[in-house]
Amino acid sequence: MRPARWLGSIAAVTVFAAQLTSPATASPDCSPTVDDRTFASVSTLRDLNAQVAGFGVRATGSPAHHRLISWLEHRVQHLSGMSVRSERFPIVRWQPGPGLLISHGVVPVAAPIPYSAPGLRSGELVKLPAGTPITAANARGKVVLRDFPAVDRGYFAEPVLNQDMVDAGIAGAAGLIVAFPFPHEQMRGYWDPHLGTHYRVPGVFVGADAALKLQIGERTTIGVLAGRFPASTRSLIATLPGLSSERIVIDTNTDGVGWVQENGTVGLLALAEHFARQPLRCRPRTLEFVFATGHLHRPAEGSEFRARALDGEYDRGSVAFAFVLEHLGTREFLPSAGSLQPTGAAELSGWFAGSPVLSQAASTALAGRAVDRTFVLPGSDVPVPGRVPPQCSFGGIGTHFHSHLVPTMAMISGPWTLWAPAFGAEAVDHERMRRQVLAAGDAITALGPVPRDQIAGPYLDLRRARAAGAPTCSHELPPEWAPRR
């Protein structure tokens, strides 16, 4: 996710106009957009989001995650015409428990760093400034204190946090403390990195107020009371037949924390319920709703495995395009006077689209539903000439489908509240969420009868170039275990 780069890509959006026809055209009495009067209301979406958040931390493969998946399965399998199956993945799950920190007395811990090593360790507390590598020479046997990286949004810090945890393990450190510039209460339950790589040392987050209690040079005890267990997790795939067996694949992830990550499940439920109410004649294509697992345990990233399957099927004509929904209805919170405060605006968001037809459908849908502060973009990374595609990243799990050269759209935002569940319902504007999901439904409806090759546009040449040996994006997933020293 790289929203800071989205603004620089706005000029790259291409407007496409054409006469669109298809042999699988819906009946003329079918609505060209989603009927606002029958679609899930704001209060319904809020209630659904409250139920999802009410399962608590949905760590991949945890009991809470299993309960959420079963709840989703129950809802979708009772929709008219819907068939449901699962894809299962073995994992070593990490079950979070409390963090412990003692340094001149007990220091409040906002959260354990996800996938950090269980157990208690002690050592001298040392502070290493940003940019100073953690090595055996400066960290062996010690508890390292770091400030949270200075970033525009919290998720930008993930590569630094991950590297520090890996380096601390290799260096033989006793543990790692990361201090936020925000108060303890706002950072309770913070969850990132979300790579799902098991680290070799315990690590904890502390708020700015708690960090003041730490004494550099003092013997400090750090601990994480978590568990590691062999387990399995599953993605749900719900299929709603259309006039054609060609599929539109709509994807989100199910594991998450709080009201923001991942409320795309609410959007998919609302869309599934809407399209299941439509008569068959109004569904030109089959719709596949993927409630994927593994985004918080990325060695089992269900969206990546689904994308690999679609990539293999695409040339056989069974897939039209993929559409990913993540982090809907988010409000903007920015640092102010030492804490995160709402600005009163919506968080900036991106609607990534990989072809002119997909871009035009997105622009039209956003305008039709008056969704502001959202930019239609071709990617979030710097283009690489000669690579197919030139831009690999769609900011989130849409990247998996686009980088596999499946025609893709992806709607996503990346607010400070993304990994900070303490903000609760305050983080989400459900009226905005509704307009976003309606816009998504409008785009799906408009593209339903559009010929597959027109939707694909440049993807067809990109797939031919890849087959001829052109370089493409990496599809390597994170390791399940960090390296040893």
Side-chain angles (χ1 to χ4, degrees), residues 314-369:
Y314 185 81
D315 291 334
R316 300 198 293 271
S318 62
V319 182
F321 67 94
F323 193 175
V324 174
L325 302 181
E326 296 182 87
H327 322 154
L328 303 172
T330 50
R331 293 186 167 111
E332 183 181 62
F333 284 74
L334 293 178
S336 176
S339 66
L340 290 170
Q341 297 296 327
T343 66
E347 177 67 20
L348 294 172
S349 62
W351 188 326
F352 294 94
S355 79
V357 166
L358 294 175
S359 294
Q360 183 58 40
S363 298
T364 300
L366 289 169
R369 298 296 178 178

Short mmCIF file of all heavy atoms in Angstrom, two decimals, residues 314-369:
data_model
loop_
_atom_site.label_atom_id
_atom_site.label_comp_id
_atom_site.label_asym_id
_atom_site.label_seq_id
_atom_site.Cartn_x
_atom_site.Cartn_y
_atom_site.Cartn_z
N TYR A 314 -6.72 -18.33 -17.14
CA TYR A 314 -7.17 -17.16 -17.90
C TYR A 314 -7.16 -17.38 -19.41
O TYR A 314 -8.13 -17.03 -20.11
CB TYR A 314 -6.31 -15.93 -17.55
CG TYR A 314 -6.83 -14.68 -18.22
CD1 TYR A 314 -7.89 -13.98 -17.69
CD2 TYR A 314 -6.28 -14.24 -19.42
CE1 TYR A 314 -8.40 -12.85 -18.33
CE2 TYR A 314 -6.78 -13.12 -20.06
CZ TYR A 314 -7.83 -12.43 -19.51
OH TYR A 314 -8.33 -11.33 -20.16
N ASP A 315 -6.11 -17.97 -19.93
CA ASP A 315 -6.00 -18.15 -21.38
C ASP A 315 -7.03 -19.13 -21.92
O ASP A 315 -7.24 -19.18 -23.14
CB ASP A 315 -4.59 -18.59 -21.76
CG ASP A 315 -3.56 -17.48 -21.53
OD1 ASP A 315 -3.96 -16.30 -21.58
OD2 ASP A 315 -2.38 -17.80 -21.29
N ARG A 316 -7.68 -19.89 -21.04
CA ARG A 316 -8.74 -20.79 -21.48
C ARG A 316 -10.09 -20.08 -21.57
O ARG A 316 -11.10 -20.69 -21.92
CB ARG A 316 -8.84 -21.99 -20.54
CG ARG A 316 -7.57 -22.82 -20.48
CD ARG A 316 -7.82 -24.21 -19.92
NE ARG A 316 -8.21 -24.18 -18.52
CZ ARG A 316 -7.37 -24.23 -17.49
NH1 ARG A 316 -6.05 -24.25 -17.73
NH2 ARG A 316 -7.80 -24.22 -16.25
N GLY A 317 -10.10 -18.78 -21.21
CA GLY A 317 -11.32 -17.99 -21.38
C GLY A 317 -12.32 -18.10 -20.25
O GLY A 317 -13.48 -17.70 -20.42
N SER A 318 -11.91 -18.60 -19.09
CA SER A 318 -12.87 -18.81 -18.01
C SER A 318 -12.93 -17.66 -17.01
O SER A 318 -13.75 -17.68 -16.09
CB SER A 318 -12.53 -20.10 -17.25
OG SER A 318 -11.24 -20.01 -16.65
N VAL A 319 -12.07 -16.65 -17.17
CA VAL A 319 -12.00 -15.53 -16.23
C VAL A 319 -12.11 -14.22 -17.00
O VAL A 319 -11.41 -14.03 -18.01
CB VAL A 319 -10.68 -15.55 -15.43
CG1 VAL A 319 -10.64 -14.40 -14.42
CG2 VAL A 319 -10.49 -16.89 -14.73
N ALA A 320 -12.97 -13.31 -16.53
CA ALA A 320 -13.10 -11.99 -17.15
C ALA A 320 -12.19 -10.97 -16.47
O ALA A 320 -11.37 -10.32 -17.11
CB ALA A 320 -14.54 -11.51 -17.10
N PHE A 321 -12.33 -10.81 -15.16
CA PHE A 321 -11.46 -9.91 -14.40
C PHE A 321 -11.63 -10.19 -12.92
O PHE A 321 -12.55 -10.89 -12.50
CB PHE A 321 -11.74 -8.43 -14.71
CG PHE A 321 -13.09 -7.92 -14.25
CD1 PHE A 321 -13.24 -7.29 -13.01
CD2 PHE A 321 -14.21 -8.03 -15.06
CE1 PHE A 321 -14.47 -6.80 -12.59
CE2 PHE A 321 -15.44 -7.55 -14.65
CZ PHE A 321 -15.58 -6.93 -13.42
N ALA A 322 -10.71 -9.62 -12.12
CA ALA A 322 -10.77 -9.71 -10.66
C ALA A 322 -10.96 -8.32 -10.07
O ALA A 322 -10.53 -7.32 -10.66
CB ALA A 322 -9.49 -10.34 -10.11
N PHE A 323 -11.60 -8.27 -8.90
CA PHE A 323 -11.89 -7.00 -8.23
C PHE A 323 -11.68 -7.23 -6.74
O PHE A 323 -12.28 -8.13 -6.15
CB PHE A 323 -13.32 -6.58 -8.52
CG PHE A 323 -13.67 -5.16 -8.15
CD1 PHE A 323 -14.92 -4.65 -8.48
CD2 PHE A 323 -12.78 -4.32 -7.49
CE1 PHE A 323 -15.26 -3.34 -8.17
CE2 PHE A 323 -13.11 -3.02 -7.17
CZ PHE A 323 -14.36 -2.52 -7.51
N VAL A 324 -10.80 -6.44 -6.12
CA VAL A 324 -10.46 -6.60 -4.70
C VAL A 324 -10.96 -5.39 -3.90
O VAL A 324 -10.77 -4.25 -4.33
CB VAL A 324 -8.94 -6.77 -4.51
CG1 VAL A 324 -8.58 -6.78 -3.03
CG2 VAL A 324 -8.47 -8.06 -5.18
N LEU A 325 -11.58 -5.65 -2.76
CA LEU A 325 -12.05 -4.59 -1.86
C LEU A 325 -11.34 -4.72 -0.52
O LEU A 325 -11.34 -5.79 0.09
CB LEU A 325 -13.57 -4.70 -1.64
CG LEU A 325 -14.48 -4.64 -2.86
CD1 LEU A 325 -15.93 -4.73 -2.41
CD2 LEU A 325 -14.25 -3.38 -3.66
N GLU A 326 -10.76 -3.60 -0.03
CA GLU A 326 -10.08 -3.59 1.27
C GLU A 326 -10.26 -2.24 1.95
O GLU A 326 -10.26 -1.20 1.30
CB GLU A 326 -8.57 -3.80 1.09
CG GLU A 326 -8.15 -5.13 0.53
CD GLU A 326 -6.63 -5.21 0.44
OE1 GLU A 326 -6.01 -5.62 1.44
OE2 GLU A 326 -6.08 -4.85 -0.61
N HIS A 327 -10.41 -2.26 3.27
CA HIS A 327 -10.32 -1.06 4.13
C HIS A 327 -11.29 0.02 3.66
O HIS A 327 -10.89 1.11 3.24
CB HIS A 327 -8.89 -0.50 4.15
CG HIS A 327 -7.82 -1.54 4.15
ND1 HIS A 327 -6.55 -1.30 3.67
CD2 HIS A 327 -7.81 -2.82 4.58
CE1 HIS A 327 -5.81 -2.37 3.79
NE2 HIS A 327 -6.56 -3.32 4.35
N LEU A 328 -12.57 -0.26 3.77
CA LEU A 328 -13.61 0.60 3.22
C LEU A 328 -14.10 1.62 4.24
O LEU A 328 -14.12 1.37 5.44
CB LEU A 328 -14.79 -0.26 2.75
CG LEU A 328 -14.46 -1.34 1.71
CD1 LEU A 328 -15.66 -2.25 1.49
CD2 LEU A 328 -14.00 -0.72 0.41
N GLY A 329 -14.53 2.79 3.73
CA GLY A 329 -15.17 3.80 4.55
C GLY A 329 -14.28 4.47 5.56
O GLY A 329 -14.77 5.03 6.55
N THR A 330 -12.98 4.45 5.35
CA THR A 330 -12.07 4.90 6.40
C THR A 330 -12.03 6.42 6.53
O THR A 330 -12.08 7.15 5.54
CB THR A 330 -10.65 4.37 6.15
OG1 THR A 330 -10.26 4.65 4.80
CG2 THR A 330 -10.61 2.87 6.36
N ARG A 331 -11.91 6.86 7.78
CA ARG A 331 -11.76 8.28 8.10
C ARG A 331 -10.27 8.61 8.24
O ARG A 331 -9.48 7.78 8.68
CB ARG A 331 -12.49 8.63 9.39
CG ARG A 331 -14.00 8.52 9.30
CD ARG A 331 -14.64 9.02 10.60
NE ARG A 331 -16.07 9.22 10.44
CZ ARG A 331 -17.01 8.49 11.02
NH1 ARG A 331 -16.66 7.48 11.81
NH2 ARG A 331 -18.29 8.76 10.83
N GLU A 332 -9.92 9.84 7.92
CA GLU A 332 -8.52 10.27 8.03
C GLU A 332 -8.21 10.70 9.47
O GLU A 332 -8.91 11.52 10.05
CB GLU A 332 -8.26 11.44 7.09
CG GLU A 332 -6.81 11.90 7.08
CD GLU A 332 -6.59 13.08 6.15
OE1 GLU A 332 -7.19 14.15 6.38
OE2 GLU A 332 -5.82 12.91 5.19
N PHE A 333 -7.15 10.12 10.02
CA PHE A 333 -6.58 10.52 11.31
C PHE A 333 -5.12 10.90 11.05
O PHE A 333 -4.39 10.14 10.40
CB PHE A 333 -6.62 9.38 12.32
CG PHE A 333 -7.97 9.13 12.92
CD1 PHE A 333 -8.98 8.51 12.18
CD2 PHE A 333 -8.25 9.49 14.23
CE1 PHE A 333 -10.23 8.27 12.73
CE2 PHE A 333 -9.49 9.25 14.80
CZ PHE A 333 -10.49 8.65 14.04
N LEU A 334 -4.70 12.05 11.58
CA LEU A 334 -3.33 12.49 11.38
C LEU A 334 -2.71 12.91 12.72
O LEU A 334 -3.42 13.30 13.64
CB LEU A 334 -3.28 13.67 10.40
CG LEU A 334 -3.67 13.36 8.95
CD1 LEU A 334 -3.61 14.62 8.10
CD2 LEU A 334 -2.78 12.27 8.35
N PRO A 335 -1.37 12.83 12.81
CA PRO A 335 -0.71 13.25 14.05
C PRO A 335 -0.95 14.73 14.35
O PRO A 335 -0.85 15.58 13.46
CB PRO A 335 0.77 12.98 13.76
CG PRO A 335 0.78 11.95 12.67
CD PRO A 335 -0.42 12.25 11.83
N SER A 336 -1.27 15.02 15.60
CA SER A 336 -1.46 16.40 16.04
C SER A 336 -1.20 16.45 17.55
O SER A 336 -1.87 15.75 18.31
CB SER A 336 -2.89 16.88 15.74
OG SER A 336 -3.10 18.18 16.24
N ALA A 337 -0.23 17.26 17.94
CA ALA A 337 0.09 17.46 19.36
C ALA A 337 0.30 16.14 20.10
O ALA A 337 -0.19 15.95 21.21
CB ALA A 337 -1.01 18.28 20.02
N GLY A 338 1.00 15.22 19.46
CA GLY A 338 1.39 13.99 20.13
C GLY A 338 0.37 12.88 20.13
O GLY A 338 0.57 11.87 20.82
N SER A 339 -0.70 13.02 19.36
CA SER A 339 -1.67 11.93 19.25
C SER A 339 -2.28 11.95 17.86
O SER A 339 -2.03 12.88 17.07
CB SER A 339 -2.77 12.07 20.31
OG SER A 339 -3.56 13.22 20.06
N LEU A 340 -3.05 10.91 17.54
CA LEU A 340 -3.74 10.85 16.26
C LEU A 340 -5.13 11.46 16.43
O LEU A 340 -5.89 11.05 17.32
CB LEU A 340 -3.84 9.41 15.77
CG LEU A 340 -2.52 8.78 15.32
CD1 LEU A 340 -2.69 7.28 15.11
CD2 LEU A 340 -2.00 9.44 14.04
N GLN A 341 -5.47 12.42 15.56
CA GLN A 341 -6.73 13.12 15.66
C GLN A 341 -7.48 13.07 14.33
O GLN A 341 -6.86 13.15 13.26
CB GLN A 341 -6.51 14.59 16.06
CG GLN A 341 -5.88 14.77 17.43
CD GLN A 341 -6.77 14.26 18.55
OE1 GLN A 341 -8.00 14.34 18.46
NE2 GLN A 341 -6.16 13.73 19.61
N PRO A 342 -8.82 12.95 14.35
CA PRO A 342 -9.58 12.97 13.10
C PRO A 342 -9.53 14.35 12.45
O PRO A 342 -9.60 15.37 13.13
CB PRO A 342 -11.00 12.62 13.55
CG PRO A 342 -11.06 13.03 14.99
CD PRO A 342 -9.68 12.82 15.54
N THR A 343 -9.38 14.36 11.13
CA THR A 343 -9.34 15.63 10.40
C THR A 343 -10.72 16.06 9.93
O THR A 343 -10.90 17.19 9.48
CB THR A 343 -8.44 15.52 9.16
OG1 THR A 343 -9.02 14.60 8.23
CG2 THR A 343 -7.05 15.04 9.54
N GLY A 344 -11.69 15.15 10.01
CA GLY A 344 -13.02 15.43 9.48
C GLY A 344 -13.18 15.05 8.02
O GLY A 344 -14.28 15.12 7.47
N ALA A 345 -12.09 14.62 7.38
CA ALA A 345 -12.12 14.21 5.98
C ALA A 345 -12.05 12.70 5.86
O ALA A 345 -11.70 11.99 6.81
CB ALA A 345 -10.97 14.85 5.21
N ALA A 346 -12.38 12.22 4.68
CA ALA A 346 -12.18 10.80 4.39
C ALA A 346 -10.70 10.54 4.14
O ALA A 346 -9.97 11.42 3.65
CB ALA A 346 -12.98 10.40 3.15
N GLU A 347 -10.25 9.35 4.50
CA GLU A 347 -8.88 8.94 4.16
C GLU A 347 -8.75 8.86 2.65
O GLU A 347 -9.67 8.41 1.94
CB GLU A 347 -8.57 7.59 4.79
CG GLU A 347 -7.21 7.03 4.45
CD GLU A 347 -6.05 7.82 5.05
OE1 GLU A 347 -6.28 8.58 6.03
OE2 GLU A 347 -4.92 7.68 4.54
N LEU A 348 -7.62 9.31 2.12
CA LEU A 348 -7.35 9.14 0.70
C LEU A 348 -7.40 7.66 0.34
O LEU A 348 -6.96 6.81 1.11
CB LEU A 348 -5.96 9.69 0.36
CG LEU A 348 -5.77 11.20 0.51
CD1 LEU A 348 -4.30 11.53 0.33
CD2 LEU A 348 -6.61 11.95 -0.51
N SER A 349 -7.95 7.37 -0.82
CA SER A 349 -8.03 5.97 -1.24
C SER A 349 -7.71 5.86 -2.72
O SER A 349 -7.74 6.86 -3.46
CB SER A 349 -9.40 5.37 -0.94
OG SER A 349 -10.42 6.04 -1.64
N GLY A 350 -7.37 4.67 -3.13
CA GLY A 350 -7.07 4.40 -4.52
C GLY A 350 -8.02 3.36 -5.08
O GLY A 350 -8.46 2.45 -4.38
N TRP A 351 -8.37 3.53 -6.34
CA TRP A 351 -9.08 2.49 -7.11
C TRP A 351 -8.15 2.17 -8.26
O TRP A 351 -8.08 2.89 -9.24
CB TRP A 351 -10.43 3.00 -7.59
CG TRP A 351 -11.30 1.93 -8.22
CD1 TRP A 351 -10.90 0.86 -8.96
CD2 TRP A 351 -12.74 1.85 -8.18
NE1 TRP A 351 -11.97 0.12 -9.38
CE2 TRP A 351 -13.12 0.70 -8.91
CE3 TRP A 351 -13.72 2.64 -7.60
CZ2 TRP A 351 -14.46 0.34 -9.08
CZ3 TRP A 351 -15.05 2.26 -7.77
CH2 TRP A 351 -15.41 1.13 -8.50
N PHE A 352 -7.40 1.10 -8.10
CA PHE A 352 -6.43 0.72 -9.11
C PHE A 352 -7.12 -0.06 -10.23
O PHE A 352 -8.03 -0.86 -9.97
CB PHE A 352 -5.32 -0.11 -8.47
CG PHE A 352 -4.50 0.68 -7.50
CD1 PHE A 352 -4.80 0.65 -6.14
CD2 PHE A 352 -3.45 1.46 -7.93
CE1 PHE A 352 -4.06 1.40 -5.24
CE2 PHE A 352 -2.70 2.21 -7.03
CZ PHE A 352 -3.01 2.18 -5.68
N ALA A 353 -6.68 0.20 -11.45
CA ALA A 353 -7.30 -0.44 -12.61
C ALA A 353 -6.25 -0.64 -13.68
O ALA A 353 -5.49 0.29 -14.00
CB ALA A 353 -8.45 0.40 -13.14
N GLY A 354 -6.19 -1.85 -14.25
CA GLY A 354 -5.10 -2.21 -15.14
C GLY A 354 -5.37 -2.10 -16.61
O GLY A 354 -4.50 -2.46 -17.41
N SER A 355 -6.55 -1.61 -17.01
CA SER A 355 -6.83 -1.45 -18.43
C SER A 355 -7.71 -0.22 -18.63
O SER A 355 -8.37 0.24 -17.68
CB SER A 355 -7.53 -2.69 -19.00
OG SER A 355 -8.92 -2.68 -18.68
N PRO A 356 -7.77 0.36 -19.84
CA PRO A 356 -8.61 1.53 -20.07
C PRO A 356 -10.08 1.30 -19.76
O PRO A 356 -10.74 2.17 -19.19
CB PRO A 356 -8.39 1.83 -21.57
CG PRO A 356 -7.02 1.31 -21.85
CD PRO A 356 -6.90 0.06 -21.00
N VAL A 357 -10.61 0.14 -20.12
CA VAL A 357 -12.03 -0.13 -19.85
C VAL A 357 -12.29 -0.21 -18.35
O VAL A 357 -13.28 0.32 -17.84
CB VAL A 357 -12.48 -1.42 -20.57
CG1 VAL A 357 -13.82 -1.91 -20.05
CG2 VAL A 357 -12.58 -1.17 -22.08
N LEU A 358 -11.39 -0.87 -17.62
CA LEU A 358 -11.55 -0.94 -16.17
C LEU A 358 -11.42 0.45 -15.54
O LEU A 358 -12.17 0.79 -14.61
CB LEU A 358 -10.51 -1.89 -15.58
CG LEU A 358 -10.65 -3.37 -15.96
CD1 LEU A 358 -9.49 -4.19 -15.40
CD2 LEU A 358 -11.98 -3.95 -15.48
N SER A 359 -10.48 1.26 -16.03
CA SER A 359 -10.32 2.62 -15.51
C SER A 359 -11.57 3.45 -15.74
O SER A 359 -12.02 4.18 -14.84
CB SER A 359 -9.12 3.30 -16.18
OG SER A 359 -7.91 2.68 -15.84
N GLN A 360 -12.14 3.35 -16.94
CA GLN A 360 -13.35 4.13 -17.23
C GLN A 360 -14.52 3.67 -16.37
O GLN A 360 -15.30 4.48 -15.88
CB GLN A 360 -13.71 4.01 -18.71
CG GLN A 360 -14.91 4.84 -19.14
CD GLN A 360 -14.73 6.32 -18.85
OE1 GLN A 360 -13.64 6.85 -19.04
NE2 GLN A 360 -15.78 6.98 -18.38
N ALA A 361 -14.65 2.36 -16.17
CA ALA A 361 -15.74 1.85 -15.33
C ALA A 361 -15.58 2.37 -13.90
O ALA A 361 -16.57 2.75 -13.26
CB ALA A 361 -15.73 0.32 -15.34
N ALA A 362 -14.35 2.40 -13.39
CA ALA A 362 -14.11 2.91 -12.04
C ALA A 362 -14.44 4.39 -11.95
O ALA A 362 -15.12 4.83 -11.00
CB ALA A 362 -12.64 2.68 -11.66
N SER A 363 -13.97 5.19 -12.89
CA SER A 363 -14.23 6.63 -12.87
C SER A 363 -15.72 6.93 -12.92
O SER A 363 -16.23 7.79 -12.19
CB SER A 363 -13.51 7.31 -14.03
OG SER A 363 -12.11 7.15 -13.93
N THR A 364 -16.43 6.23 -13.78
CA THR A 364 -17.87 6.44 -13.92
C THR A 364 -18.60 6.07 -12.64
O THR A 364 -19.50 6.80 -12.18
CB THR A 364 -18.40 5.62 -15.10
OG1 THR A 364 -17.74 6.02 -16.30
CG2 THR A 364 -19.91 5.81 -15.26
N ALA A 365 -18.22 4.96 -12.04
CA ALA A 365 -18.88 4.50 -10.81
C ALA A 365 -18.62 5.46 -9.66
O ALA A 365 -19.53 5.78 -8.88
CB ALA A 365 -18.41 3.10 -10.46
N LEU A 366 -17.40 5.94 -9.52
CA LEU A 366 -17.08 6.88 -8.43
C LEU A 366 -17.85 8.17 -8.58
O LEU A 366 -18.39 8.71 -7.60
CB LEU A 366 -15.57 7.17 -8.42
CG LEU A 366 -14.66 6.02 -7.95
CD1 LEU A 366 -13.21 6.35 -8.25
CD2 LEU A 366 -14.85 5.77 -6.46
N ALA A 367 -17.93 8.68 -9.81
CA ALA A 367 -18.68 9.92 -10.05
C ALA A 367 -20.17 9.70 -9.77
O ALA A 367 -20.83 10.56 -9.17
CB ALA A 367 -18.46 10.39 -11.47
N GLY A 368 -20.70 8.56 -10.18
CA GLY A 368 -22.12 8.28 -10.01
C GLY A 368 -22.53 8.19 -8.56
O GLY A 368 -23.69 8.50 -8.21
N ARG A 369 -21.61 7.77 -7.68
CA ARG A 369 -21.92 7.63 -6.25
C ARG A 369 -21.28 8.73 -5.41
O ARG A 369 -21.32 8.66 -4.19
CB ARG A 369 -21.47 6.26 -5.76
CG ARG A 369 -22.18 5.09 -6.44
CD ARG A 369 -23.67 5.07 -6.16
NE ARG A 369 -24.33 3.96 -6.86
CZ ARG A 369 -25.62 3.68 -6.77
NH1 ARG A 369 -26.41 4.43 -6.00
NH2 ARG A 369 -26.14 2.65 -7.43
#
